[in-house]
Amino acid sequence: MNQKITYELPNGITLEIKREDLLHPFVSGNKFRKLKYNVLQAKAENQSVLLTFGGAFSNHIAAVAYAGKEQGFETIGIIRGDELRDKISENPTLSFAQECGMRFEFVTREAYRHKTDAAFIAQLQAQFGSFYLVPEGGTNDLAVKGCEEILTELDADFDFICSAVGTGGTISGLINSALPHQKILGFPALKGDFLQNEIRKFVTNKNWELITDYHFGGYGKVTDELIDWINSFFLQTQIPIDPIYTGKMVFGVMDLIQRNYFPPKSKILMIHTGGLQGIAGMNAKLRNNNKPILVQ
């Protein structure tokens, strides 16, 4: 469902947000899209275990844990940071995943860097037996296929499609399914230019651009300005947005509108990619640092 943003916007611009966060109460947004065909493939391969990777507050870890529970899979999460082993009860994301039945293997940050190496995967297979591997963030060819279903024929009138970017799967699906007149704008949550090459693994179209000015210091980083802005946006629209992905993207789009980046009378669609489960963990961090928290 698309929801119109009723802010007074300049130059005849119209702005809507696609509420992918409402797809599922626990496997929402792009995680629902990315897991759809991966779960079907795991079933086709007669696998009974889903194994994946993520950090302390990973939306992906939470989504895989619930999807596994819902679809009858055992789930294993390889978690970055062995210091978290004794802190599960303090972490809303890991607590939720554990309640869904996920088993954890905590590894050092150094070991985690090798998560895509054949030797590391072989070690996991020796330890856990047969499993269906879902990459960190869920991005692979099947995930991109799922994300190609985000846009529908009802979205044909939009000139710009805007999305947060993590591992590149969601924007790749949008790029592949966009109409010729549509431009896809990605707002990376991470610093660095490596995402360009990651996206090019899945797309051939040239109808896209990454806007790299709104990461607020890098992945998982926030500022008082961003938190205050997200709270203001929620109070005015009643649309909850997370501070890691969608919040930064929406902030960026609104800022670009004020800077006259978009031509007059542009029709802009923002993609809400979910991630709301991460708000509890972010608020815990903010409280610990005596910072303003998200009011949603």
Side-chain angles (χ1 to χ4, degrees):
M1 141 180 145
N2 293 352
Q3 185 171 341
K4 188 169 185 179
I5 305 299
T6 56
Y7 282 36
E8 190 170 322
L9 301 172
N11 304 322
I13 286 173
T14 57
L15 180 64
E16 296 186 23
I17 186 165
K18 183 176 282 289
R19 296 294 304 275
E20 292 281 288
D21 58 306
L22 300 177
L23 285 175
H24 188 285
F26 301 110
V27 190
S28 74
N30 61 347
K31 302 310 176 191
F32 182 94
R33 303 292 188 180
K34 289 180 175 183
L35 288 173
K36 176 181 177 180
Y37 290 109
N38 275 290
V39 166
L40 290 174
Q41 183 62 29
K43 289 181 176 180
E45 294 179 10
N46 294 315
Q47 296 284 359
S48 61
V49 179
L50 303 177
L51 181 144
T52 196
F53 306 86
F57 300 101
S58 167
N59 297 322
H60 176 68
I61 286 291
V64 170
Y66 194 90
K69 174 185 175 182
E70 191 173 60
Q71 298 292 327
F73 291 93
E74 295 179 46
T75 55
I76 300 170
I78 311 302
I79 308 299
R80 181 181 66 247
D82 55 347
E83 76 279 359
L84 298 169
R85 190 183 313 276
D86 302 319
K87 298 179 180 178
I88 296 173
S89 63
E90 303 171 23
N91 184 296
T93 300
L94 297 181
S95 295
F96 173 80
Q98 189 177 65
E99 289 166 8
C100 292
M102 178 173 274
R103 288 187 286 156
F104 299 128
E105 177 72 12
F106 295 93
V107 300
T108 66
R109 282 165 168 72
E110 174 58 34
Y112 192 85
R113 294 188 185 100
H114 299 284
K115 62 186 177 293
T116 59
D117 295 353
F120 188 72
I121 302 301
Q123 179 183 327
L124 293 174
Q125 289 170 331
Q127 182 176 354
F128 296 111
S130 180
F131 55 75
Y132 183 87
L133 190 151
V134 183
E136 181 183 41
T139 291
N140 57 16
D141 289 330
L142 291 174
V144 173
K145 179 181 177 181
C147 290
E148 288 171 0
E149 298 175 354
I150 294 173
L151 295 178
T152 72
E153 60 185 17
L154 299 177
D155 302 319
D157 286 343
F158 290 101
D159 306 301
F160 294 89
I161 314 294
C162 302
S163 176
V165 181
T167 52
T170 302
I171 191 174
S172 295
L174 295 170
I175 291 165
N176 290 341
S177 61
L179 297 172
H181 71 277
Q182 294 177 322
K183 184 169 184 179
I184 310 300
L185 300 181
F187 293 75
L190 301 84
K191 287 195 291 187
D193 295 329
F194 67 95
L195 280 168
Q196 300 270 359
N197 292 330
E198 290 299 309
I199 294 166
R200 290 190 184 104
K201 293 177 183 178
F202 302 105
V203 307
T204 55
N205 293 334
K206 310 295 185 185
N207 58 336
W208 57 283
E209 179 183 352
L210 295 186
I211 309 292
T212 59
D213 300 326
Y214 298 98
H215 53 68
F216 285 85
Y219 181 74
K221 302 287 182 65
V222 299
T223 64
D224 291 352
E225 177 192 19
L226 178 64
I227 298 300
D228 289 343
W229 189 89
I230 291 173
N231 285 338
S232 174
F233 180 82
F234 176 70
L235 291 173
Q236 292 184 65
T237 65
Q238 296 303 298
I239 300 172
I241 50 178
D242 79 290
I244 306 300
Y245 293 106
T246 302
K248 293 180 178 181
M249 179 272 294
V250 176
F251 181 101
V253 171
M254 299 297 290
D255 189 56
L256 290 176
I257 288 173
Q258 297 304 319
R259 294 173 182 267
N260 296 316
Y261 173 91
F262 298 99
K265 299 185 178 179
S266 291
K267 295 181 179 180
I268 306 166
L269 179 65
M270 304 183 293
I271 309 299
H272 192 318
T273 52
L276 300 179
Q277 71 83 30
I279 290 177
M282 177 58 72
N283 275 345
K285 289 173 62 176
L286 292 170
R287 285 191 188 96
N288 287 340
N289 293 317
N290 296 313
K291 294 288 188 178
I293 66 167
L294 292 151
V295 298
Q296 303 152 50

